[in-house]
Amino acid sequence: VAAQIAITLVLVVGAGLLGRSLMKVLEVNPGFRVDKIVTMDVSLPWVDDPKAKEGQAIFFSRLIDRLKQIPGVSKVGATSGLPMDGGLPDGMFLLMTQNEMPKTTDALGAMFQQKERIGNADFCVATDGYFQVLGIPLIRGRIFDERDGANTPHVAVISESLARDRWPNQDPLGQTIEFGNMDGDLRLLTIVGIVGDTHEYGLDVPPRPTVYVNLFQRPRAGIDLTMLSDADTRMVTSTARGILLDLNPEIPARFRTFSQVYSASLGSRRFNVILIGFFGITALLLATAGVFGVMAYSVSRRTREIGVRIALGAGSGDILRMILGQGLRTIFIGVAIGIAGSLALTRALESLLFGVTATDPLTFGAVTLLLVGAALFACYIPARRAMRVDPMIALRYE
């Protein structure tokens, strides 16, 4: 029984730590809206020709305009990568002026030797509607608008963390950077705005610095369209599918709600909590049953002894303390072994924990009280039976 209690404590402590970690993760502000968003993944054929890329940008512009006309859809945007959905490509960019703009990618590569020019960031293609749909706040400057066309100077919006890390003592607005190694376009990007950080790789991963470029200036073949809607999801999905078929019946699309994307990013944590929690609850029931069985058997074997004690003047409280004391010795032995085992074994969970330590005193204290309380309850039932032993009936067996 002591071994059962020890194993139970280890399992329940593990479940408690993972459960508290999940709660801490859910308290993190992701930096974007989750509900009422329908996403549509659209992939066009990959092309290298600049004219063909412009044609794809025009196609997406028409698609977005048509999607805005769906009843109940208030805003539509597009991005090359949704948060929590696999992450974004990352790379190094260069700080430079228009006079320094390289003519070839080879010349660009040589400039990466100048460390004072280098910055690191994720690269995301988006539209102005993307920030509006997900509710990503504008901190300073502006986001993309109708001024930013294919033949106008290319612009970029950066995340707050990038502005803080790369330009800690100066204003990044108006700075020009070269990030053409990500898409082959060597035209410089002028930073026109700063937006809030988002957790791209999970709530338990710090926000990464990000450079956002305009879809209509830097077209991509694969795009996730986002629609903010109060209407029925199935109606929005069906109408959007019909619009896509009308524009190009050969292009497939995948529809999801953004809530599904967000929930899937937490799937592994939820699975770990459920799995270890299931084993912990099962072990707790077995340990409680074990304590009850042992104490019930002990009381049945000591019925005559208890009768003699009562006949010699022992009160109900004396009998209760005797039985509970016997049970508590077993419980405390198991708890002591379990705490030692938990301190050693829960360190293996450190990589899965967020916001709590492997030796979190609140979790250890709560689990210990729960286990001791359950075991004491299992002891109390046989103890009450012992308190009701009739000494005359017990002594008659002698």
Side-chain angles (χ1 to χ4, degrees), residues 118-189:
I118 294 176
N120 290 277
D122 289 349
F123 183 82
C124 182
V125 180
T127 65
D128 59 327
Y130 168 71
F131 301 100
Q132 297 167 2
V133 171
L134 267 66
I136 300 174
L138 176 65
I139 307 299
R140 290 182 54 204
R142 66 176 180 89
I143 54 177
F144 312 129
D145 56 31
E146 63 278 355
R147 289 173 286 178
D148 307 316
N151 298 316
T152 61
H154 286 202
V155 297
V157 173
I158 63 173
S159 64
E160 189 176 15
S161 58
L162 178 57
R164 182 175 57 248
D165 295 344
R166 190 60 188 81
W167 292 275
N169 300 314
Q170 55 183 313
D171 188 1
L173 298 184
Q175 299 279 352
T176 52
I177 62 174
E178 171 59 68
F179 216 172
N181 54 308
M182 297 302 295
D183 60 1
D185 193 327
L186 297 180
R187 283 173 285 187
L188 297 187
L189 296 163

Side-chain angles (χ1 to χ4, degrees), residues 293-313:
V294 168
M295 296 309 299
Y297 178 72
S298 175
V299 168
S300 68
R301 291 296 300 269
R302 298 176 67 185
T303 300
R304 285 171 291 181
E305 175 201 337
I306 294 170
V308 171
R309 289 178 180 275
I310 294 175
L312 294 176

Side-chain angles (χ1 to χ4, degrees), residues 270-309:
R270 287 199 179 102
F271 176 77
N272 290 333
V273 172
I274 293 171
L275 181 65
I276 297 183
F278 171 78
F279 285 117
I281 292 172
T282 303
L284 179 61
L285 294 174
L286 290 174
T288 304
V291 171
F292 173 79
V294 168
M295 296 309 299
Y297 178 72
S298 175
V299 168
S300 68
R301 291 296 300 269
R302 298 176 67 185
T303 300
R304 285 171 291 181
E305 175 201 337
I306 294 170
V308 171
R309 289 178 180 275

